[in-house]
Amino acid sequence: MNGRNVPQDVPEVLEHFLPLEQDLETVELVRDEVPTHFFVDDPDARYYAWCSHCKEFVTLDKSHHRKRITCPYCGEEGDIIHTWRGYKNLVDKVLMYVYTKSVKSPEDTITARAIYMEYRWGEEDRFGEMQLPWNIEPYLVVDSYYVFVHGQGAVQVRPVNNWKMNALYPCGGIDQWTVSRGVNNRFGVYIGTYGCNRMTLALSNDSIDDAVAETPFRYVWDEIRDVFLNAGNIGAYVRLFAYLAKYPFATETLAKLGVITQDWLYSITELGKTGGGLLNWRGKTIKKLFRYNLTKGEKAWLRQSTGARVGPYSLFAVWQKLRAMGNTQITLPIIDEVRITSYSIQQIQGLISPDRLIKYIERQRQKHPDCTITIDLYTDYLSYCKRLNMDMREKAALLPRDLMEAHDNLIREFHQLQELQREEERRKQSLKEKRDAKSKNHEYKKLRKRILQRYSFEADGMTIYVPKKLEELVDEGIAMHSCVGTYVDRVAKGMTIVVFIRSAENLKERIGTMEISRDGLSIVQARAKFNKDLPPAAAEFVQKFKEAKIERHRRTA
């Protein structure tokens, strides 16, 4: 609920503003944001261009449409526009936030306007003729109004139905405005909408400095100005000043406690993130604001810190959770140092107290001074303990002498267990595939005789081995880590031919697997273990096989 000095309706809001047509300085600020163009309107005088920014005619060295140049008079950069090339569809739009002091209560009230300006450069006159660019007047209108009364609250006036401004459908009468239920920036209404590809969204930072000067708002703005400007003005800071107007103590406290709370304030006001119920905005003391009291050491750490490792929301969420558990020994710097999170507290619940765990982590850090050991490492260790069904009642399991070594050992053990499980699954699958393959052996028996007769070959200590049974394809796939085991059905039906490359002295020594096309006129593939290329000797063997068995047959065919 806003205070009694906050305007309640549209006419009361407008009382705080100078009419736009009288505020020429603000209009010029908006006009400066319009992209600059250099218009050439005569093909026979293409080396003369009119600068849309300073309204001067410029002599061009070269006149290329859309070439970027700099005006010698005003120093602005822009594109050369030949008005006979797509000039009709050239539209520039600007939505700019400008802050000012209230004309009604300048001592404690600041205002902001989102001002919309649109240039339709290809606009026709009433006779249907294209107007010259220097005769074009912009469509200028206020998109929304904001009033911020320090200690009382804020109000926004916007178009009914959240309408977007447009020169083709002008609006702005007092009956077309409404008081918004909340205070939000209008950038999001325009971003990504049709026709806004040449839209400029801007904020006058200098206007904020001038508006807050000699008002209570300056104390907070001076504190956070650099941090907020460096982070970006995607929300035009209207929510910041709305919070500052309604909750001055809470906002000022967050602004003055240091970078961590300033980042938190930015994420809430500019990025629209929630405080998650961690902050009591109406609190008039630090204890009421944060729901628990900060120690002197914690305040000093917040002011000196350059940022939180776990993020401000997570940092204070854990801090409040520990305080709710009655733990006052674990302070903000400790939480940040060992990276305690709400998840880690949940993981250790019922196993070990946070105090005891932090002392344990500190001992582990002393053992490994060159390593970063945090609670994340311990919770990861716990997760592997649970997967391996370890008894956490045993101290050796709960608090191993060397956490890093125990963590790495568990990871290896877990991966070994997974590999055994995969091997068992592959064994079961291979048994099924073998049963299926066995049922197709009668189809393959006749084919094998022809393959054996045609492709028997031996050279350089290697030989071609033709599988006697289709089950051997499954065994080959498992041993060579390839997919040849899935070829059973195709081989049985004669749709392809598969042979093995083996050692001539020891047929159990696998060297490679080769696929031959069903017509016998080409080698489809020949691969080693893990689907890798064959070793040079085996590749040479395959080449000899190809010359003797494939190419010779091809010439005969």
Side-chain angles (χ1 to χ4, degrees), residues 82-95:
H82 293 168
T83 58
W84 58 93
R85 294 180 178 175
Y87 168 60
K88 184 176 181 180
N89 299 319
L90 181 59
V91 179
D92 288 315
K93 302 176 183 181
V94 172
L95 182 68

Side-chain angles (χ1 to χ4, degrees), residues 360 363-365 367-368 373 381 395-407:
Y360 170 73
R363 291 197 299 272
Q364 295 300 314
R365 285 184 163 190
K367 282 188 178 182
H368 301 279
I373 297 179
Y381 164 79
K395 186 177 179 181
L398 184 63
L399 299 172
R401 290 183 179 277
D402 191 318
L403 177 60
M404 292 195 69
E405 182 181 339
H407 176 265

Side-chain angles (χ1 to χ4, degrees), residues 45-207:
R46 63 175 61 222
Y47 294 100
Y48 277 99
W50 179 76
C51 174
S52 65
H53 186 263
C54 65
K55 321 299 184 190
E56 295 287 345
F57 281 92
V58 177
T59 302
L60 306 176
D61 294 330
K62 294 182 180 179
S63 184
H64 297 304
H65 183 60
R66 292 293 183 185
K67 181 183 178 182
R68 198 154 187 84
I69 63 169
T70 301
C71 178
Y73 297 104
C74 64
E76 290 291 319
E77 288 189 356
D79 294 338
I80 296 173
I81 301 295
H82 293 168
T83 58
W84 58 93
R85 294 180 178 175
Y87 168 60
K88 184 176 181 180
N89 299 319
L90 181 59
V91 179
D92 288 315
K93 302 176 183 181
V94 172
L95 182 68
M96 184 176 188
Y97 274 84
V98 179
Y99 284 77
T100 56
K101 292 183 185 298
S102 163
V103 297
K104 184 179 180 181
S105 308
E107 66 283 349
D108 66 350
T109 303
I110 64 172
T111 66
R113 281 181 288 195
I115 302 170
Y116 180 84
M117 181 178 284
E118 179 177 328
Y119 274 92
R120 305 193 73 83
W121 296 106
E123 192 173 31
E124 296 177 347
D125 60 21
R126 58 194 180 91
F127 301 109
E129 296 292 330
M130 196 80 71
Q131 295 191 65
L132 294 171
W134 44 86
N135 292 330
I136 298 295
E137 289 297 326
Y139 172 64
L140 180 67
V141 66
V142 176
D143 175 89
S144 51
Y145 296 87
Y146 302 82
V147 176
F148 309 97
V149 184
H150 193 270
Q152 299 283 315
V155 64
Q156 174 188 359
V157 166
R158 58 167 174 77
V160 174
N161 299 324
N162 231 18
W163 186 257
K164 297 185 293 290
M165 296 301 171
N166 190 300
L168 298 179
Y169 309 101
C171 68
I174 195 167
D175 60 327
Q176 295 177 304
W177 297 97
T178 185
V179 174
S180 177
R181 294 180 65 180
V183 175
N184 294 288
N185 78 83
R186 294 272 293 164
F187 287 158
V189 176
Y190 290 87
I191 293 173
T193 56
Y194 177 76
C196 292
N197 55 320
R198 292 192 65 85
M199 186 97 188
T200 300
L201 304 175
L203 164 68
S204 171
N205 297 329
D206 292 338
S207 73

Side-chain angles (χ1 to χ4, degrees), residues 239 268 382 428 544:
R239 279 170 56 86
I268 292 171
L382 281 185
K428 291 178 180 179
K544 290 180 180 179

Side-chain angles (χ1 to χ4, degrees), residues 33-47:
E33 293 296 325
V34 178
T36 300
H37 305 295
F38 297 89
F39 289 101
V40 179
D41 73 303
D42 188 349
D44 295 327
R46 63 175 61 222
Y47 294 100

